[in-house]
């Protein structure tokens, strides 16, 4: 399997390094880290960032609250479909999309790939349909207009299943190679999952929004800039679960650093290191 790292969206919230820990000036720089995987079952996307319809109709598809708060930069060339084409792939060959969760900045590109089956936990789709993601942010984070035309969902139970480095894991995703697993990590949303992918160089774990800043993993002394910490609190549905899962990811990233490479959806430095730039 060949794995490509794509950023399918850019957000530049006010705060600079107080938000992302790195960027000089008034605005931070966050990516939407997605994977494109070439498999025998066709092309597989892990998360989709923002799609062409978000760019054509931003205020219909994305809540004005988040468009402004995140200062979403809608760039056609960053959509997954544009990046696939630029690499010489046919978007019709995208047969599967594995989604960490249905927030607006992960699900926006789904409908650019009508041939794809969308793999997700049933819990995440249920809470997204109900807008259950916090009283204020719930209806603003989940935008059914981004995924109400999905023809083929493949839903999985949340939790149970076999173990993967001490985590629950959903294996044998239907139609996908066994090297791709869902790893339930609730807290940011109720049905939020990481996606583990076994590559030739070991495991990758796309941790979605289970954490947001590189300093939250890989060290016994975690750190996070205040803006990013505040954003995580705004978006959490279950603080205890979020912090517990973040601590478990931190342990995994330290104890199994030579076997598993953990990364999150929005940290630009992680994205650049993994060859996405
Ligand atoms: Zn996100």
């Amino acid at each position: 399997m060949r794995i490509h790292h794509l950023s399918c969206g850019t957000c530049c919230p006010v705060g600079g390094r107080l938000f992302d820990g790195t960027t000089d000036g008034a605005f931070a720089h966050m990516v939407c880290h997605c994977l494109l995987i070439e498999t025998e079952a066709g092309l597989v996307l892990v998360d989709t960032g923002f799609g062409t319809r978000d760019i054509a109709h931003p205020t219909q598809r994305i809540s004005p609250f988040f468009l402004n708060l995140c200062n979403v930069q809608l760039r056609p060339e960053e959509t997954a479909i544009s990046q696939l084409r630029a690499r010489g792939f046919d978007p019709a060959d995208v047969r599967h999309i594995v989604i960490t969760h249905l927030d607006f900045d992960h699900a926006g590109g789904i409908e650019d790939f009508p041939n794809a089956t969308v793999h997700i936990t049933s819990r995440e789709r249920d809470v997204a349909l109900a807008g259950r993601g916090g009283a204020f942010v719930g209806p603003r984070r989940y935008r059914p207009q981004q995924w109400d035309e999905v023809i083929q969902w493949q839903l999985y139970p949340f939790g149970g299943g076999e173990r993967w480095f001490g985590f629950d894991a959903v294996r044998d995703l239907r139609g996908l190679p066994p090297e791709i697993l869902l790893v339930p990590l609730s807290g940011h949303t109720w049905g939020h999952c990481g996606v583990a992918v076994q590559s030739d160089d070991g495991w990758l774990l796309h941790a979605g929004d289970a954490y947001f800043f590189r300093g939250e993993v890989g060290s016994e002394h975690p750190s996070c800039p205040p803006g990013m910490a505040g954003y995580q609190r705004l978006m959490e549905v279950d603080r205890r679960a979020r912090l517990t899962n973040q601590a478990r990811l931190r342990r995994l990233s330290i104890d199994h650093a030579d076997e598993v490479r953990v990364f999150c959806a929005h940290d630009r430095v992680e994205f650049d290191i993994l060859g996405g730039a």
Side-chain angles (χ1 to χ4, degrees):
M1 299 199 306
R2 180 137 187 249
I3 300 168
H4 308 259
H5 294 263
L6 312 179
S7 174
C8 301
T10 298
C11 294
C12 298
V14 171
R17 68 175 60 238
L18 290 175
F19 213 98
D20 67 13
T22 306
T23 308
D24 291 330
F27 298 100
H29 184 157
M30 295 161 70
V31 298
C32 293
H33 196 152
C34 305
L35 301 177
L36 170 66
I37 311 173
E38 299 176 50
T39 79
E40 290 180 359
L43 297 175
V44 179
L45 278 170
V46 178
D47 278 357
T48 64
F50 298 105
T52 58
R53 295 186 190 188
D54 298 323
I55 288 161
H57 308 288
T59 53
Q60 292 171 27
R61 302 256 301 181
I62 306 168
S63 131
F65 173 76
F66 282 115
L67 273 174
N68 290 318
L69 179 69
C70 299
N71 192 12
V72 177
Q73 310 291 300
L74 294 163
R75 299 172 180 165
E77 68 276 15
E78 288 189 338
T79 58
I81 195 168
S82 291
Q83 295 194 62
L84 258 81
R85 287 194 178 117
R87 290 166 190 249
F89 295 110
D90 181 349
D93 290 336
V94 175
R95 297 303 160 96
H96 301 277
I97 299 175
V98 186
I99 290 285
T100 60
H101 63 304
L102 282 171
D103 271 353
F104 65 97
D105 53 331
H106 298 253
I110 289 176
E111 289 179 347
D112 286 336
F113 303 98
N115 294 336
T117 297
V118 178
H119 301 256
I120 191 165
T121 64
S122 51
R123 181 192 285 186
E124 181 63 13
R125 200 189 59 155
D126 289 348
V127 295
L129 279 168
R132 283 208 304 122
F136 177 76
V137 299
R140 291 170 176 82
R141 73 192 307 171
Y142 288 132
R143 309 298 279 177
Q145 52 270 58
Q146 289 180 317
W147 33 268
D148 58 0
E149 291 180 21
V150 170
I151 295 163
Q152 184 70 44
W153 293 95
Q154 191 66 53
L155 304 175
Y156 302 93
F158 191 85
E162 293 178 49
R163 306 293 279 176
W164 180 82
F165 290 99
F167 291 80
D168 285 347
V170 182
R171 293 178 189 264
D172 298 323
L173 303 183
R174 194 168 176 149
L176 285 168
E179 293 88 356
I180 302 176
L181 321 176
L182 283 172
V183 180
L185 295 168
S186 71
H188 177 73
T189 67
W190 294 109
H192 179 280
C193 280
V195 180
V197 183
Q198 191 168 25
S199 74
D200 296 339
D201 306 325
W203 286 95
L204 289 172
L205 177 62
H206 187 317
D209 289 357
Y211 73 98
F212 273 68
F213 182 68
R214 57 195 172 279
E216 293 178 303
V217 298
S219 165
E220 303 283 1
H221 305 289
S223 65
C224 183
M228 199 76 92
Y231 189 74
Q232 293 192 72
R233 281 197 293 275
L234 172 72
M235 300 303 286
E236 71 192 4
V237 296
D238 182 337
R239 178 165 303 171
R240 202 165 134 189
R242 178 173 74 82
L243 295 178
T244 300
N245 279 324
Q246 210 172 83
R248 294 168 75 211
L249 288 171
R250 187 155 47 248
R251 270 287 30 104
L252 175 74
S253 69
I254 295 168
D255 295 346
H256 296 280
D258 51 345
E259 296 164 273
V260 185
R261 172 69 210 220
V262 183
F263 61 93
C264 67
H266 298 302
D267 189 288
R268 179 163 62 108
V269 172
E270 287 183 344
F271 179 73
D272 288 347
I273 289 170
L274 283 163

